[in-house]
Amino acid sequence: MMSRLPQLTEDADGLLEETRRQLGKVPNLYAALANGPAALAGYLAMRDHLTRGVLRARLREKIALLVAQENRCTYCVSAHTMRGKRMGMTDEELALTREAGDADPHDDAVLRLTREIIRTGGRVGDEELARARAENVTDAELAEIVAHVALNTLSNYFNHLAQPDLDFPEVAI
């Protein structure tokens, strides 16, 4: 399939260079998002701030993969599967993540809560919240989980609109 929006290579605002700094390359999704410099700048700023939060990089990657799975985003499932493998995640761990599960009780609670946030639009019930708290999910983590859902939903939805060329090995949803 052909991308619906051009993938920009000119970088008058330095946003593609910032993308390269954060990710090591400029994926086609970001090159297409650069059509709206304010959108890409906002996305990059939020992403950059969240990398300095309380959630570990490995758990952030699992959240991103789960959000992509829930949003049925082949591009992002493919990208986050590749990144997860580069972080040492096994195929079994990646498959479990896509089902909102994890062998670690805390991370399992985070992923289950993430899926509940997505599926309820944030209207998580008291029981689900109590289960997460029982596994020591903190208030700071709760705030960042919602922020990661928002950040990754932005990229998933934009991908659905723009349909950039896939520049990762495809992973079926």
Side-chain angles (χ1 to χ4, degrees):
M1 181 183 308
M2 188 89 157
S3 180
R4 293 167 104 188
L5 294 176
Q7 293 161 15
L8 302 184
T9 55
E10 292 185 19
D11 195 17
D13 297 324
L15 294 171
L16 297 177
E17 187 52 42
E18 177 61 15
T19 301
R20 192 172 289 104
R21 183 191 71 74
Q22 287 189 24
L23 301 176
K25 67 179 267 185
V26 179
N28 291 336
L29 175 64
Y30 294 75
L33 189 55
N35 282 287
L40 180 56
Y43 177 88
L44 292 172
M46 186 173 188
R47 184 188 179 286
D48 187 48
H49 284 285
L50 287 172
T51 64
R52 296 189 297 269
V54 297
L55 295 172
R56 300 174 326 280
R58 189 176 178 92
L59 186 52
R60 291 193 311 263
E61 196 59 42
K62 288 179 179 185
I63 291 169
L65 177 58
L66 176 58
V67 174
Q69 177 66 38
E70 288 292 308
N71 285 328
R72 315 279 305 150
C73 182
T74 300
Y75 185 100
C76 297
V77 166
S78 300
H80 293 295
T81 295
M82 187 185 79
R83 285 181 52 104
K85 285 182 179 183
R86 286 186 178 163
M87 296 174 97
M89 293 180 209
T90 65
D91 289 338
E92 295 77 21
E93 189 176 8
L94 292 163
L96 188 57
T97 295
R98 290 173 64 185
E99 297 173 9
D102 199 281
D104 176 84
H106 174 269
D107 291 1
D108 186 74
V110 167
L111 293 174
R112 290 183 186 283
L113 186 65
T114 299
R115 182 174 63 189
E116 188 68 13
I117 288 166
I118 295 164
R119 290 183 176 180
T120 66
R123 294 174 184 87
V124 174
D126 292 339
E127 287 181 30
E128 290 85 6
L129 186 57
R131 276 196 289 273
R133 290 193 182 283
E135 293 300 338
N136 300 312
V137 176
T138 68
D139 292 345
E141 288 173 317
L142 292 172
E144 288 184 23
I145 291 164
V146 173
H148 280 282
V149 168
L151 177 73
N152 287 285
T153 297
L154 186 160
S155 62
N156 298 166
Y157 284 13
F158 184 74
N159 174 72
H160 296 162
L161 174 72
Q163 298 177 1
D165 297 330
L166 187 61
D167 46 355
F168 307 100
E170 185 170 351
V171 175
I173 296 195

